[in-house]
Amino acid sequence: MAVQMGHMSVPKLPLSGITVVSLEQAVAAPYATRQLADLGARVIKVERPGGGDFARRYDTTVHGHSSYFVWLNRSKESLTLDLKDPRGLEILHRLLDDADVFVHNLAPGAVDRLGLATDTVTARRPRLIPCTISGYGTDGPWADRKSYDLLVQCQTGLVSLTGTPGETARVGISVADIAAGMYAYSGVLTALYTRATTGDAHPVEVSLFEALAEWMGQPANYTRYGGTQPPRLGTQHATIAPYGTFTAADGKDVLFSIQNEREWAVLCAEFLGDPGLTADPRFATGSDRVAHRAEVNAVVAERCARSDAAEILKDLEEMGIACAGVNDVAAFLDHPVLAARGRWREVGVPGATVQALLPPADLAGLPARMDPVPAAGEHTDAILAGLGRTPADIEALRADGVV
């Protein structure tokens, strides 16, 4: 089905007609709901009066706005509500009466104290799909603990795997929040599909800890059944060798990966210039090369030190060996793949526009939704008017700090 706009026919987005109400803050829930908005859902972001989502103030680097907030909140409507005021809570209930999905990631116990627990909100709205995003789950011994991304990186053991032999490090992005947001997004899509096909609405629950725990599956298996955890090796891969960065003659780093014995034989013969290495028992299998990583890396490093990075990358590519230079963020922004595939779009933010990447999943024949990032409370009047509130009613609520 297509929507007519003047002389243009714009295909209807997959989640057009779906309304999401979200009590969200920080990263995990906003990431989930932004992706629902990308697909055409109407996302009403409920924020605190007098400042809104605290992630708006994480930094001011994007035309005075937070880099996190700009990334996570395009294509949404912002409504400010004081939910501790009964009038604000009543407005939220009215919105939930017509909503399909209710997402929240407030502090432990906050939603229950507002009378918005899953059982309560679904008792009078059996078709509503609540989605709860917590730190460590809504029950269990840590249900009442606050949780942030780096805390979860520490608790899952991820930090112990990241860094160099001498020092641990956090992953450089909010990986626990992103994992939780992705599972919340896919969970909501699954619940919407199930409701459409069976009529049953299933609540969704995701915790940051359990989301990142899933991503720890390989090192968990390695540690449980191998007796020791994978070592911290900087850019070297813990269980494959050679796989990591090596410094070229011009001081630039190159990274390449040997995934199988055929590639190892090619590397030995055509790059290292020593096909006899394939018969060396220290390097015969992948496990042997990992066990003798220092010897393997010494041979590779000596060869890389004799050529500039561009020459090494050209040679490896011609041999069919996966390789890459090591970009900084500025180089990533100018990446030829993003430019050639037209992945950048302009998105409005209050007072300016910014460059944003298209959603990574392309749906053939459907345009990407890339609507503006809202100012705090930007849509409050319109949303309240849609609920039947008069301008005088809205002004009274604003005067009392309810919106």
Side-chain angles (χ1 to χ4, degrees):
M1 179 179 180
V3 179
Q4 298 295 324
M5 295 182 64
H7 297 294
M8 298 177 59
S9 181
V10 179
K12 187 176 181 181
L13 291 173
L15 295 186
S16 294
I18 296 295
T19 297
V20 179
V21 175
S22 190
L23 297 182
E24 60 181 31
Q25 57 192 1
V27 177
Y31 189 45
T33 60
R34 195 220 73 195
Q35 293 179 92
L36 296 171
D38 289 343
L39 292 176
R42 182 191 186 193
V43 176
I44 300 174
K45 180 184 180 78
V46 179
E47 303 189 66
R48 301 171 182 84
D53 182 346
F54 56 73
R56 288 182 179 273
R57 297 175 294 282
Y58 277 164
D59 61 71
T60 58
T61 57
V62 185
H63 300 298
H65 304 286
S66 160
S67 54
Y68 274 95
F69 195 87
V70 168
W71 167 46
L72 296 167
N73 289 285
R74 65 172 181 253
S75 304
K76 300 181 185 180
E77 300 172 38
S78 173
L79 165 70
T80 51
L81 281 181
D82 179 1
L83 297 180
K84 295 180 180 179
D85 188 299
R87 293 168 291 176
L89 193 57
E90 176 55 30
I91 290 168
L92 178 61
H93 276 289
R94 286 285 308 280
L95 290 172
L96 292 176
D97 287 341
D98 296 324
D100 298 281
V101 180
F102 173 41
V103 179
H104 55 85
N105 71 328
L106 302 186
V111 168
D112 290 353
R113 290 191 294 272
L114 291 169
L116 297 169
T118 294
D119 291 346
T120 304
V121 296
T122 56
R124 78 185 209 191
R125 306 174 187 89
R127 286 181 55 78
L128 181 67
I129 298 169
C131 176
T132 303
I133 302 175
S134 65
Y136 298 100
T138 56
D139 58 16
W142 285 29
D144 295 331
R145 289 199 182 199
K146 280 191 174 181
S147 161
Y148 299 111
D149 181 86
L150 185 51
L151 302 179
V152 175
Q153 288 192 38
C154 290
Q155 286 297 311
T156 56
L158 179 58
V159 166
S160 76
L161 299 174
T162 308
T164 65
E167 186 177 9
T168 59
R170 67 177 288 272
V171 175
I173 58 175
S174 299
V175 64
D177 286 316
I178 293 168
M182 287 300 301
Y183 287 118
Y185 166 59
S186 61
V188 167
L189 290 180
T190 303
L192 286 168
Y193 175 80
T194 302
R195 192 185 71 173
T197 54
T198 70
D200 297 328
H202 295 279
V204 176
E205 180 175 345
V206 175
S207 77
L208 273 68
F209 179 74
E210 288 158 2
L212 196 55
E214 164 64 20
W215 289 16
M216 288 289 291
Q218 180 273 323
N221 281 336
Y222 187 99
T223 302
R224 183 185 296 274
Y225 300 106
T228 59
Q229 74 174 48
R232 278 192 317 277
L233 297 170
T235 60
Q236 297 289 315
H237 195 287
T239 59
I240 303 173
Y243 188 167
T245 56
F246 297 90
T247 302
D250 56 2
K252 296 180 180 178
D253 284 342
V254 297
L255 182 142
F256 65 90
S257 167
I258 297 301
Q259 294 282 317
N260 52 56
E261 303 318 314
R262 179 191 61 80
E263 291 183 351
W264 173 241
V266 169
L267 188 79
C268 291
E270 300 185 27
F271 183 70
L272 299 177
D274 188 355
L277 285 174
T278 58
D280 190 318
R282 297 174 300 168
F283 310 143
T285 68
S287 295
D288 291 329
R289 291 192 293 276
V290 170
H292 297 276
R293 181 192 305 277
E295 296 99 310
V296 172
N297 284 354
V299 173
V300 174
E302 188 278 329
R303 168 64 184 85
C304 288
R306 290 190 268 119
S307 301
D308 287 348
E311 180 184 348
I312 292 171
L313 293 172
K314 179 176 180 294
D315 289 345
L316 292 174
E317 286 171 7
E318 290 176 351
M319 296 171 199
I321 303 297
C323 59
V326 181
N327 286 344
D328 59 15
V329 178
F332 153 70
L333 293 174
D334 290 332
H335 202 288
V337 171
L338 297 176
R341 285 176 48 79
R343 302 308 296 180
W344 295 104
R345 292 290 185 277
E346 282 198 349
V347 168
V349 299
T353 60
V354 300
Q355 293 290 308
L357 285 169
L358 291 170
D362 294 329
L363 300 177
L366 293 177
R369 182 185 183 192
M370 305 286 284
D371 291 347
V373 176
E378 178 178 341
H379 301 90
T380 297
D381 288 17
I383 293 170
L384 294 180
L387 295 176
R389 300 301 179 108
T390 67
D393 293 335
I394 297 169
E395 185 54 39
L397 290 170
R398 182 165 284 111
D400 290 343
V402 180
V403 300

